[in-house]
Amino acid sequence: MAALAYNLGKREINHYFSVRSAKVLALVAVLLLALCHLASRRYRGNDSCEYLLSSGRFLGEKVWQPHSCMMHKYKISEAKNCLVDKHIAFIGDSRIRQLFYSFVKIINPQFKEEGNKHENIPFEDKTASVKVDFLWHPEVNGSMKQCIKVWTEDSVAKPHVVVAGAATWSIKIHNGSNEALSQYKMNITSIAPLLEKLAKTSDVYWVLQDPVYEDLLSENRKMITNEKIDAYNEAAISILNSSTRNSKSNVKMFSVSKLIAQETIMESLDGLHLPESSRETSAMILMNVYCNRILKPVDGSCCQPRPPLTLLQKLAACFFTLSIIGYLIFYIIHHNAHRKNKPCTDLESGEEKKNIINPPVSPLGILLQSFCKLGLIMAYFYMCDRANLFMKENKFYTHSTFFIPIIYILVLGVFYNENTKETKVLNREQTDEWKGWMQLVILIYHISGASTFLPVYMHIRVLVAAYLFQTGYGHFSYFWIKGDFGIHRVCQVLFRLNFLVVVLCIVMDRPYQFYYFVPLVTVWFMVIYVTLALWPQIIQKKANGNCFWHFGLLLKLAFLLLCICFLAYSQGAFEKIFSLWPLSKCFELKGNVYEWWFRWRLDRYVVFHGMLFAFIYLALQKRQVLSEGKGEPLFSNKVSNFLLFISVVSFLTYSIWASSCKNKAECNELHPSVSVVQILAFILIRNIPGYARSVYSSFFAWFGKISLELFICQYHIWLAADTRGILVLIPGNPMLNIIVSTFIFVCVAHEISQITNDLAQIIIPKDNSSLLKRLACIAAFFCGLLILSSVQDKSRH
């Protein structure tokens, strides 16, 4: 009964919710969300700086998340680079002095908080010509007014940034009287025009007063209540008039520190001054407000304008627009022709006069339809990660954000299980399942920011290595068994791997090496092909006739291993090869190929291990050493139990080692040599028991078939800021946002997979003469792309 209910449940789900209906629902969701965000931007404004200065929340205890955008954590070198030849002035009381110290420590962490507290404090970094001053003006009075007035004179050098604020001294000195509040309003009214004038040439921020923790206040500060502070803040806001969207004031209100203080003031030592972590957050917000528009950090979307369209992006937009128009014209013509040929009923006999079957769609129709759909999808990519339409947030890792989703997908994977069509080791269904669950784990790893947790990082490195292991295993097996070294096969594989990435490089203005996994798999495929295709070509059929050929193949593999070792330990030789034009255009990132060398070196042996495993497995299979029948253990019971025990011990040993690593550099150094241990252990555990080899998870296998698209698409439409952040389609509800964005992301990846397959059938024909003509056109396209890219790079510089 349980099995019957299980099967009926799956049938019901599949009947009412097909892939096609899911994609329609995803399209509707995208349109509605885009309209909602457009309306929100129009109503609330499009200035992420305003959000950064006024709103946000804590992720965990100490990580501040601004509303709708990402905050970059500035390093010393970045801060100096941004503030070179700049002058920043802090004016106010002891709380502003705290903010001054935290700001300076971003530039120079060794700067000490010492000296007379009630006087001016200068700071200067001569290496970067950065000058930061604190000016002691604890009350909004004539003294502060005179200081600001001097800067408004035309002949005086003005600070580039002015941060001002004060109120607690006025409350304290006048014992919280109403007369003091009235005087504060008069004083700030007289200063407001000066601040406004100064704001035309400098960035001016007025810091609202943070709440206090009244229970901790000393007796001489008891009059500083939160009620009084709120009254002073309301006065400042109403007079400076910069809190509303329609305000014309150039003076920016720094109100976000209030929100930070509300969460952390309980940690204060005296009830008045904020703990160090809180003021560090406020200082980092100031740094983001000023520096993000200058340095444009990838993981800092706050205060950044939309990047201008490049020449290639404009050409791509024109191409996709023409494709959409062309498809609409083709569809109208084709639809009208179909209506004319539609069978009609004879009124007298009641029978149809003719019965014409719907004609098949022409290759031109498929081509136009594919590019039309791809154009709409690329528009969504651009909206998500370039157009500043949707929101972005920083990642924040906790164990629950990584491990709980892992449990969820494990349960779903077990629920959707089927019997395999064949029970061979690493059959197609099993490899699809393997790719699927690995890809889902990698996705969860990326969105949860789990790279900060070293044991998880090392296990994910094994999963990436396992993908490359399958590359070596799969392509070696194909060439060894089929002996098909034709150009059609090579072009099909290269197109399937690279089509989406090439389109994204153009649309999203990113170098090829940015999508590092695709270059990695592409290069290794060509290495496998060249190794086996070069003379003498040794395939299984030839080797079966003479065992000498097995020895010849092993020599080939040994030579390949020698080349890998040479390149791995000769960085100079590796970089010389890939720095040659036009390879350099593909493999350079930030002007050099170091990143490519690092990525390649990290998993340098695993493809070779996959090829060697395929060779040994196929040789054992040919000699009928293995028992691959349904429900049968792979070896005899004793051998199977022994290998299972060794595999489990090896698997656990690797996990223990990965958890005990001290740092990433140490782990990465050993990873290339030891990752194969866990991969082989998994293969044996998965395949030695006959019952395990006879079933597979159709849920994981479904994702495995689109694993390449999932890996690439996540960069821009699931994550954000080129994987540094998280895309926010539904603000204020992280769980619902993840569900909706994931649903759309998976639908898009599946559609792109189908588009790629359709285009591959048309662009890569089986006829060699036609294929050569197409290759000449593709070569011309890439030559044009390289020329335009070079022109674009020169115009940037």
Side-chain angles (χ1 to χ4, degrees):
M1 287 297 290
L4 179 62
Y6 166 79
N7 288 324
L8 286 173
K10 285 199 293 186
R11 268 195 217 113
E12 285 291 311
I13 293 170
N14 294 332
H15 176 73
Y16 289 106
F17 196 72
S18 65
V19 173
R20 184 180 177 83
S21 62
K23 289 176 183 176
V24 171
L25 186 59
L27 177 61
V28 172
V30 168
L31 293 174
L32 288 175
L33 287 167
L35 288 172
C36 289
H37 279 267
L38 277 171
S40 174
R41 297 261 176 194
R42 189 173 182 83
Y43 176 73
R44 297 185 61 184
N46 196 28
D47 187 5
S48 58
C49 275
E50 189 176 319
Y51 297 142
L52 177 61
L53 291 170
S54 63
S55 57
R57 69 185 192 277
F58 272 107
L59 302 175
E61 294 181 359
K62 295 182 179 179
V63 179
W64 182 253
Q65 173 59 61
H67 175 69
S68 86
C69 62
M70 295 166 57
M71 199 169 81
H72 178 65
K73 188 172 182 179
Y74 277 88
K75 299 175 183 175
I76 299 170
S77 58
E78 293 173 321
K80 287 183 177 180
N81 188 26
C82 167
L83 300 175
V84 64
D85 296 326
K86 298 294 189 296
H87 178 204
I88 297 94
F90 289 78
I91 313 170
D93 54 17
S94 57
R95 285 175 158 187
I96 298 295
R97 184 179 63 238
Q98 278 192 309
L99 187 57
F100 158 79
Y101 276 124
S102 295
F103 189 87
V104 167
K105 284 182 179 179
I106 298 175
I107 305 165
N108 181 8
Q110 309 304 320
F111 190 67
K112 303 293 184 183
E113 299 185 25
E114 55 190 14
N116 191 340
K117 294 182 178 181
H118 295 171
E119 65 179 18
N120 299 341
I121 305 171
F123 167 81
E124 187 174 3
D125 188 300
K126 294 182 179 179
T127 59
S129 300
V130 180
K131 187 180 178 184
V132 186
D133 289 325
F134 169 70
L135 306 176
W136 174 250
H137 292 283
E139 288 189 87
V140 180
N141 55 19
S143 175
M144 180 184 283
K145 180 180 178 180
Q146 185 60 34
C147 176
I148 296 169
K149 188 177 181 180
V150 169
W151 288 329
T152 60
E153 296 174 4
D154 295 336
S155 59
V156 177
K158 300 167 179 59
H160 296 88
V161 181
V162 175
V163 182
T168 55
W169 270 66
S170 296
I171 300 171
K172 177 184 173 182
I173 292 173
H174 300 94
N175 202 29
S177 66
N178 291 330
E179 290 78 9
L181 177 58
S182 299
Q183 186 63 45
Y184 180 83
K185 289 179 181 179
M186 291 173 59
N187 291 340
I188 203 167
T189 301
S190 66
I191 287 177
L194 298 175
L195 290 173
E196 189 65 34
K197 186 177 180 181
L198 182 61
K200 292 178 180 179
T201 54
S202 306
D203 287 357
V204 179
Y205 303 94
W206 186 267
V207 181
L208 295 182
Q209 293 301 299
D210 302 327
V212 296
Y213 192 46
E214 297 179 13
D215 294 345
L216 282 179
L217 291 174
S218 59
E219 285 300 321
N220 64 340
R221 290 174 176 168
K222 285 293 183 181
M223 70 292 295
I224 307 174
T225 63
N226 286 321
E227 184 181 353
K228 291 291 181 184
I229 284 174
D230 289 341
Y232 275 71
N233 281 337
E234 287 173 12
I237 291 170
S238 61
I239 294 167
L240 294 174
N241 192 29
S242 62
S243 62
T244 59
R245 185 176 68 88
N246 296 322
S247 170
K248 295 179 181 179
S249 174
N250 291 316
V251 179
K252 302 176 181 70
M253 302 302 293
F254 193 84
S255 58
V256 69
S257 61
K258 282 174 47 186
L259 299 178
I260 297 169
Q262 284 170 3
E263 300 292 331
T264 60
I265 193 64
M266 291 79 73
E267 301 170 21
S268 172
L269 297 177
D270 59 7
L272 178 68
H273 298 99
L274 293 178
E276 189 172 357
S277 61
S278 302
R279 54 193 178 100
E280 284 174 354
T281 301
S282 295
M284 195 59 72
I285 290 172
L286 278 175
M287 190 68 75
N288 274 259
V289 169
Y290 187 76
C291 290
N292 280 8
R293 63 177 181 264
I294 298 171
L295 297 186
K296 297 181 174 63
V298 175
D299 62 341
S301 65
C302 299
C303 301
Q304 279 203 48
R306 182 179 64 84
L309 288 172
T310 65
L311 175 62
L312 286 173
Q313 286 175 319
K314 291 175 183 176
L315 291 174
C318 291
F319 172 79
F320 285 124
T321 303
L322 291 173
S323 297
I324 292 170
I325 294 169
Y327 175 69
L328 291 174
I329 293 169
F330 177 86
Y331 177 80
I332 292 168
I333 294 170
H334 181 76
H335 185 69
N336 288 338
H338 176 63
R339 286 185 65 184
K340 289 178 182 178
N341 294 324
K342 189 176 180 180
C344 57
T345 305
D346 192 317
L347 294 176
E348 294 180 4
S349 64
E351 296 177 356
E352 292 182 350
K353 289 183 178 179
K354 54 184 178 179
N355 185 22
I356 298 176
I357 300 171
N358 290 341
V361 182
S362 67
L364 177 61
I366 295 172
L367 195 69
L368 288 172
Q369 185 185 51
S370 297
F371 281 123
C372 175
K373 290 191 289 186
L374 188 64
L376 295 173
I377 290 170
M378 288 301 111
Y380 178 62
F381 270 77
Y382 188 85
M383 283 194 302
C384 287
D385 212 18
R386 292 293 180 272
N388 292 341
L389 174 63
F390 297 121
M391 301 174 179
K392 304 173 178 68
E393 288 190 354
N394 295 91
K395 300 176 186 178
F396 177 70
Y397 175 74
T398 61
H399 293 318
S400 60
T401 58
F402 178 75
F403 290 105
I404 290 176
I406 296 289
I407 295 169
Y408 285 161
I409 65 165
L410 179 63
V411 171
L412 283 171
V414 171
F415 178 74
Y416 281 92
N417 67 83
E418 308 283 348
N419 292 323
T420 56
K421 293 176 182 176
E422 57 176 334
T423 55
K424 292 181 180 179
V425 173
L426 292 181
N427 57 69
R428 182 57 183 269
E429 290 161 333
Q430 190 184 125
T431 53
D432 281 341
E433 174 202 84
W434 191 7
K435 289 178 183 176
W437 71 256
M438 287 196 302
Q439 185 57 63
L440 292 177
V441 171
I442 290 172
L443 290 174
I444 294 168
Y445 164 81
H446 281 153
I447 202 165
S448 64
S451 60
T452 56
F453 186 48
L454 193 55
V456 172
Y457 167 80
M458 287 311 301
H459 283 84
I460 296 299
R461 289 269 20 114
V462 173
L463 299 190
V464 175
Y467 267 102
L468 294 171
F469 181 92
Q470 285 195 52
T471 297
Y473 172 83
H475 291 306
F476 178 91
S477 300
Y478 178 87
F479 290 127
W480 177 248
I481 296 169
K482 302 282 187 182
D484 176 14
F485 295 101
I487 193 171
H488 177 262
R489 162 73 181 178
V490 175
C491 292
Q492 281 275 350
V493 172
L494 293 179
F495 184 88
R496 176 78 175 82
L497 289 174
N498 291 276
F499 172 71
L500 175 58
V501 164
V502 171
V503 174
L504 286 178
C505 287
I506 297 169
V507 173
M508 305 305 289
D509 188 30
R510 282 294 172 263
Y512 179 64
Q513 179 53 35
F514 174 75
Y515 306 92
Y516 74 94
F517 186 73
V518 171
L520 206 56
V521 177
T522 300
V523 167
W524 278 116
F525 167 73
M526 292 306 300
V527 167
I528 296 165
Y529 176 78
V530 170
T531 301
L532 299 178
L534 283 178
W535 183 90
Q537 286 185 3
I538 305 171
I539 60 175
Q540 190 180 57
K541 188 175 180 181
K542 184 187 287 187
N544 289 339
N546 189 342
C547 290
F548 171 77
W549 290 114
H550 284 96
F551 179 70
L553 180 66
L554 289 174
L555 283 178
K556 274 191 169 189
L557 293 178
F559 180 72
L560 172 61
L561 180 61
L562 190 65
C563 292
I564 291 169
C565 291
F566 171 74
L567 290 175
Y569 293 100
S570 179
Q571 184 179 350
F574 185 95
E575 290 185 350
K576 281 181 181 178
I577 293 170
F578 288 97
S579 294
L580 296 172
W581 194 89
L583 287 178
S584 60
K585 293 296 293 182
C586 295
F587 296 101
E588 278 186 356
L589 194 63
K590 298 178 182 177
N592 60 67
V593 296
Y594 173 79
E595 180 71 15
W596 166 234
W597 180 77
F598 171 77
R599 294 284 186 184
W600 176 87
R601 193 172 181 270
L602 206 53
D603 295 300
R604 57 187 178 271
Y605 299 127
V606 75
V607 174
F608 171 81
H609 290 146
M611 296 171 70
L612 188 62
F613 176 82
F615 172 72
I616 294 170
Y617 163 68
L618 293 171
L620 293 175
Q621 187 186 60
K622 197 69 182 176
R623 283 160 180 72
Q624 298 181 342
V625 175
L626 308 175
S627 302
E628 295 183 298
K630 192 174 182 66
E632 295 180 358
L634 202 59
F635 303 98
S636 64
N637 287 332
K638 286 185 179 180
V639 174
S640 295
N641 290 336
F642 174 75
L643 288 176
L644 275 175
F645 175 76
I646 294 296
S647 300
V648 171
V649 170
S650 301
F651 197 91
L652 295 175
T653 302
Y654 178 89
S655 295
I656 293 168
W657 169 79
S659 301
S660 63
C661 264
K662 294 179 181 177
N663 54 65
K664 283 186 180 181
E666 178 187 305
C667 293
N668 286 337
E669 195 61 36
L670 290 172
H671 167 77
S673 304
V674 299
S675 61
V676 70
V677 173
Q678 204 166 37
I679 295 169
L680 291 176
F682 170 78
I683 292 172
L684 293 176
I685 293 169
R686 182 70 179 81
N687 286 276
I688 286 177
Y691 61 85
R693 212 170 55 251
S694 302
V695 296
Y696 78 105
S697 170
S698 57
F699 174 79
F700 290 141
W702 189 88
F703 285 99
K705 290 172 183 175
I706 59 170
S707 59
L708 181 68
E709 287 75 19
L710 288 171
F711 188 88
I712 300 166
C713 289
Q714 68 168 323
Y715 279 70
H716 304 294
I717 63 169
W718 196 53
L719 304 174
D722 298 335
T723 74
R724 267 73 169 193
I726 299 170
L727 180 68
V728 179
L729 299 178
I730 302 176
N733 194 327
M735 182 60 70
L736 182 60
N737 176 67
I738 289 294
I739 292 169
V740 173
S741 65
T742 302
F743 174 69
I744 296 170
F745 158 60
V746 172
C747 289
V748 168
H750 189 273
E751 186 61 33
I752 289 176
S753 177
Q754 290 188 334
I755 290 170
T756 305
N757 290 331
D758 290 342
L759 289 175
Q761 301 302 318
I762 298 169
I763 296 174
I764 313 294
K766 291 183 179 179
D767 178 57
N768 279 341
S769 60
S770 300
L771 179 57
L772 290 173
K773 291 176 184 176
R774 299 281 171 84
L775 289 178
C777 294
I778 292 171
F781 167 76
F782 277 107
C783 287
L785 198 62
L786 287 171
I787 293 168
L788 288 172
S789 180
S790 299
V791 171
Q792 191 170 281
D793 290 342
K794 285 181 181 178
S795 66
R796 280 174 176 169
H797 294 311

